[in-house]
Amino acid sequence: MDKLSKAQKDEYATAFAILALYDGGADITSEQISGLLEATGNTEVEAFYPIIFANYLSDPAKVAELITTPGGAGGGGAGGGAGGGDAGGAAEEEEEEEKEEEEEADIGGGMDMFGGDDGGDY
């Protein structure tokens, strides 16, 4: 923790306060976050952190989504189909299998690794 900047420590303290409120079933508001920070001895957290975090994470569904989403906020482009259940994954697997089958079909026989006909002298 000593290697973290003050801003990072403030962000962590605020995030952990939100997780505690979420886990306890309490409303996630800037007042609740500030109160919890004060109760845990985190009195030096900048006042804007609870406000910013509460504006973004006041909905428990959003907190649950962040908890269950692997990789946090990082960015791949694969996030589009939320709520699709297993059907989306199955369709993706079918597409991958079809692509593999097409690749295998394209490879075919009749050529050696250098593009010549079957066999041949080396």
Side-chain angles (χ1 to χ4, degrees):
M1 291 293 285
D2 292 336
K3 294 182 181 181
L4 297 176
S5 68
K6 180 181 179 339
Q8 289 172 318
K9 289 178 183 177
D10 289 355
E11 290 172 4
Y12 277 128
T14 307
F16 290 139
I18 289 172
L19 289 174
L21 292 170
Y22 171 78
D23 192 46
D27 289 336
I28 299 172
T29 64
S30 60
E31 292 83 20
Q32 292 277 41
I33 297 167
S34 296
L36 189 55
L37 289 171
E38 200 169 310
T40 57
N42 291 294
T43 56
E44 294 182 17
V45 172
E46 296 290 335
F48 63 88
Y49 282 108
I51 296 167
I52 292 172
F53 277 64
N55 285 340
Y56 183 68
L57 297 170
S58 61
D59 181 16
K62 185 69 173 176
V63 176
E65 178 186 342
L66 288 174
I67 291 171
T68 59
T69 303
D86 290 331
E92 246 180 65
E93 288 177 18
E94 286 180 22
E95 287 179 22
E96 289 177 17
E97 288 176 10
E98 287 177 15
K99 287 180 184 177
E100 288 176 16
E101 289 175 11
E102 287 176 16
E103 290 174 9
E104 290 173 7
D106 290 342
I107 292 173
M111 298 183 106
D112 65 13
M113 63 187 259
F114 298 107
D117 287 337
D118 245 350
D121 296 329
Y122 290 105

